[in-house]
Amino acid sequence: MNARRLSANHGVLWLLAGFSLFRRNPPLLTLLTFTYLLLVVVINLIPAIGPFLLPLVLPLLTVILANGCRSIEVKGAFNGTDLMREVADRRQAIMHLGGLHLLGSATMVLVSAALGMDLTLSENLTSEQMQDLALDLGLFLMLSTPLLMAFWFAPLLTLWDKIPPAKSVFFSFVASWRNWRAFFMYGVAVGVAGIIVPGILLVTAS
């Protein structure tokens, strides 16, 4: 597999494509997205096992979300069969990918602990403690970037392209690395849209 190298302006095109998909069926896509986010939050809050369970099931949740988005793009709606398409046939591969994700997440936790990073939020933090927390969060995000790159495309490569999990992780990292300009522009576009759109709504409502 040879990952394409896209130009930076594709980051903006990704955002526009997202808006276009949303217009296909706003209520259904909103329901799909918020259900995904709710499941992520709820699973993570399960006492004792939540932080370990979430990395395991996140690839599965991602492919279900992607199946729903693809179905909305093709026919404007989805059903239960669409969401679970090919999942049963690839369940072992998806579980294997979840195991790799758990291993990567656990490694990040161990690294952060070895570096003495304290990512715990608590009340009544002093300004100095807030600065230390911000620095630790920034460092953790930087160290987590390779993990994010490795699993950005991996679930879809595993499900849709039938690529083995370990190879999916490798190809996902390579594709993300080769297209860092597009990802950077996408982040800028999302940030700008996140400021301009709420601003317009506030002005209109006032």
Side-chain angles (χ1 to χ4, degrees), residues 58-68 83 87 94 155-156 159-160:
L58 197 57
L60 173 61
L61 296 178
T62 300
V63 298
I64 292 174
L65 174 66
N67 276 343
L83 294 179
V87 171
I94 295 174
L156 303 187
L159 183 73
W160 291 352

Side-chain angles (χ1 to χ4, degrees), residues 48-190:
I49 65 171
F52 301 97
L53 182 60
L54 181 59
L56 280 173
V57 302
L58 197 57
L60 173 61
L61 296 178
T62 300
V63 298
I64 292 174
L65 174 66
N67 276 343
C69 290
R70 183 168 66 171
S71 185
I72 290 175
E73 181 181 19
V74 173
K75 59 182 184 180
F78 63 79
N79 54 38
T81 301
D82 295 325
L83 294 179
M84 301 303 293
R85 189 177 303 279
E86 300 186 50
V87 171
D89 295 336
R90 300 289 294 165
R91 60 181 179 276
Q92 290 187 348
I94 295 174
M95 291 174 60
H96 185 187
L97 188 63
L100 292 176
H101 193 211
L102 175 60
L103 178 61
S105 300
T107 301
M108 284 306 310
V109 171
L110 292 175
V111 170
S112 63
L115 295 176
M117 290 188 287
D118 184 7
L119 305 177
T120 305
L121 291 174
S122 58
E123 298 180 357
N124 302 322
L125 290 177
T126 66
S127 58
E128 183 177 352
Q129 289 173 325
M130 288 293 293
Q131 292 177 0
D132 291 339
L133 177 61
L135 289 174
D136 286 343
L137 287 173
L139 179 58
F140 184 80
L141 179 60
M142 183 180 67
L143 294 175
S144 299
T145 298
L147 181 66
L148 295 174
M149 294 167 62
F151 286 91
W152 189 264
F153 298 110
L156 303 187
L157 291 173
T158 298
L159 183 73
W160 291 352
D161 295 309
K162 308 297 186 297
I163 297 176
K167 288 186 177 180
S168 294
V169 171
F170 172 76
F171 288 134
S172 175
F173 180 84
V174 171
S176 299
W177 175 260
R178 296 190 66 181
N179 292 284
W180 68 268
R181 295 175 181 84
F183 277 104
F184 176 79
M185 187 58 66
Y186 175 76
V188 172
V190 169

